[in-house]
Amino acid sequence: MTDHKQAVPAPFIVPGPSLGEGSPPITLGVMGGGQLARMFVHAAQQMGYATAVLDADAASPAGLVAHHHIRTGYLDAAGLAQLAQCSAAITTEFENVPAAALATLALQRPVSPAAEAVAVCQDRAAEKAHFARSGVPCAPYACIETDAQLAAVDAALLPGILKTTRLGYDGKGQARVADRAALALAWAALGRVPCVLEQMLPLACEISVIVARGASAKSVHLPVQQNLHRAGVLTTTTVPAPDVPAEVQQRAIASAHAIAATLNYVGVLCVEFFVLEGGVLVANEMAPRPHNSGHYSIDACDVSQFDLQVRAMTGAPLVAPRLHSPCVMLNLMGDLWSESGHAPDWAGVLALPGAHLHLYGKASARPGRKMGHLTVTAASAEQAGAVARQAAAVLGIGAW
Ligand code: ATP
Ligand code: MG
């Protein structure tokens, strides 16, 4: 049992023209205007919905392609009122949208995922407690908010990774610590904000599972993705996961569904897992939205994670996605521009078989900024990997 509100099945918000003369098109709203919202907008528009994006940035990737761009902060009362007024249903692309903003919107419109579920994902300690509630193990950890807790840290957690409880992403807000002295220094460097210290685990590999759950409690999933990170940032995703036995994949899928069900979740949820030697599975973290590791689904599945987001929020039927092409997804970071000083060799990339280029429309490239991704589809994951390596060589991305 949980203390989260029971989701109420909503009637399907039907896309397409309404019958009445002059009535406005059915619009779907999204909080946040980054690349995830942009790909959501594309999926919603493909299905005939109009779209509204709330993001303060005039050049936000999703704001540029949506029907309505509301340029305010997430807590701006007038902006929220405008979004609620024009949208039939609202979702989020970003877990750090203040839960209060989602709660305000939910007074007027169906909002998925719910503020309570997003709040759990905003806080690593709450997230780990939720994994435990769902019967899914996570890495051994301790919460550090006081000097007393720092001093009391169990030696078994070292070496470990210190992570800020809130607002971390792409490996930011984290420090690897070898011993107590390093831990104390790292906590000071992170500004003594609330943190969790996790034991450093020997990873055989990393995977993630994306589930979509509707208000009717039906849930479906994408195939298991195998993810390679460099310096805490996702570098490649390969599907089907080449190094993970089917039985481990089934356990990961069941765990992801359990985590969503225990939250009474409505929407798309991504759960990241560590796979340890012997097939031991440990939940790392979750995101209450589509995820970078699911971008491949646009080109390699018959239903993408963004299609699922649209379907879950509108009460449309959820059908299980099918992977029609094995694939490798490669993230395209701002470093590709800055290091070379000129545009990457897109012609060279597009000459490769099965290459699907996605650029997010960001005006300037900075090192570490996610500018786009490339999905290579092929007859097998090995072939997709071989072509992805060719693409990496063309672009000057280091081999993996
Ligand atoms: P993102 O939100 O971009 O997924 P993040 O900044 O929230 O990332 P985590 O997912 O917590 O960070 O960690 C980033 C990466 O660091 C992991 O994918 C993994 O490669 C490594 N890592 C994190 N925690 C551990 C751990 N306890 N043991 C071993 N490796 C870890
Ligand atoms: Mg992560």
Side-chain angles (χ1 to χ4, degrees):
M1 279 311 292
T2 86
D3 45 2
H4 299 288
K5 265 188 291 186
Q6 180 67 44
V8 181
F12 176 31
I13 298 168
V14 182
S18 43
L19 292 176
E21 225 6 71
S23 52
I26 297 296
T27 297
L28 303 182
V30 58
M31 293 289 278
Q35 62 265 19
L36 297 172
R38 180 180 171 103
M39 290 181 268
F40 161 78
V41 162
H42 288 153
Q45 291 177 344
Q46 180 178 320
M47 282 179 65
Y49 296 100
T51 51
V53 167
L54 187 146
D55 191 304
D57 179 2
S60 73
L64 293 173
V65 297
H67 297 79
H68 310 282
H69 182 184
I70 301 164
R71 292 182 202 165
T72 69
Y74 295 134
L75 284 168
D76 184 277
L80 292 175
Q82 202 185 334
L83 185 67
Q85 193 272 325
C86 73
S87 306
I90 297 164
T91 188
T92 183
E93 68 135 14
F94 179 52
E95 59 270 38
N96 291 318
V97 164
L102 298 178
T104 302
L105 292 168
L107 297 174
Q108 299 176 66
R109 296 288 184 232
V111 173
S112 59
E116 297 91 335
V118 174
V120 172
C121 301
Q122 287 174 349
D123 182 298
R124 287 190 194 273
E127 194 169 71
K128 289 174 190 304
H130 181 73
F131 290 151
R133 239 189 336 262
S134 309
V136 179
C138 61
Y141 73 101
C143 293
I144 299 182
E145 297 188 17
T146 64
D147 285 314
Q149 286 172 325
L150 181 72
V153 156
D154 187 339
L157 296 180
L158 293 165
I161 304 195
L162 185 68
K163 304 180 178 181
T164 58
T165 303
R166 305 180 74 86
L167 297 173
Y169 71 101
D170 287 350
K172 295 185 177 65
Q174 298 194 3
R176 296 182 177 223
V177 292
D179 51 31
R180 283 184 187 282
L183 172 63
L185 284 175
W187 193 45
L190 289 172
R192 296 167 59 86
V193 295
C195 284
V196 295
L197 174 68
E198 284 176 25
Q199 186 181 58
M200 180 78 80
L201 297 175
L203 311 186
C205 65
E206 296 188 60
I207 60 175
S208 54
V209 178
I210 291 166
V211 297
R213 190 169 183 275
S216 67
K218 179 179 167 76
S219 64
V220 299
H221 58 268
L222 287 172
V224 171
Q225 299 102 214
Q226 185 168 330
N227 303 320
L228 179 72
H229 293 81
R230 276 189 188 147
V233 183
L234 183 66
T235 304
T236 65
T237 294
T238 303
V239 192
D243 303 319
V244 186
E247 177 272 324
V248 177
Q249 297 197 26
Q250 285 311 318
R251 265 193 287 133
I253 289 167
S255 297
H257 281 291
I259 287 165
T262 323
L263 265 180
N264 243 320
Y265 194 82
V266 178
V268 171
L269 179 79
C270 178
V271 185
E272 297 179 22
F273 296 92
F274 300 141
V275 184
L276 312 184
E277 286 310 325
V280 174
L281 207 56
V282 167
N284 172 26
E285 59 172 355
M286 59 181 173
R289 51 169 173 77
H291 191 261
N292 194 168
S293 64
H295 291 354
Y296 75 91
S297 59
I298 298 172
D299 300 302
C301 295
D302 56 7
V303 184
S304 79
Q305 61 172 348
F306 302 101
D307 296 330
L308 291 173
Q309 187 178 20
V310 172
R311 285 174 179 244
M313 77 186 288
T314 57
L318 290 176
V319 295
R322 183 179 65 86
L323 182 80
H324 55 68
S325 300
C327 65
V328 172
M329 190 267 334
L330 194 57
N331 261 340
L332 303 173
M333 310 299 286
D335 312 61
L336 298 184
W337 282 258
S338 23
E339 276 174 16
S340 61
H342 50 75
D345 180 7
W346 297 132
V349 168
L350 292 170
L352 296 169
H356 307 266
L357 177 64
H358 297 252
L359 293 176
Y360 305 144
K362 297 183 182 179
S364 57
R366 286 190 301 273
R369 191 175 197 203
K370 287 177 178 166
M371 301 298 292
H373 68 269
L374 182 78
T375 301
V376 177
T377 53
S380 70
E382 298 74 48
Q383 285 174 26
V387 176
R389 284 186 166 81
Q390 284 178 269
V394 168
L395 293 170
I397 296 173
W400 61 89

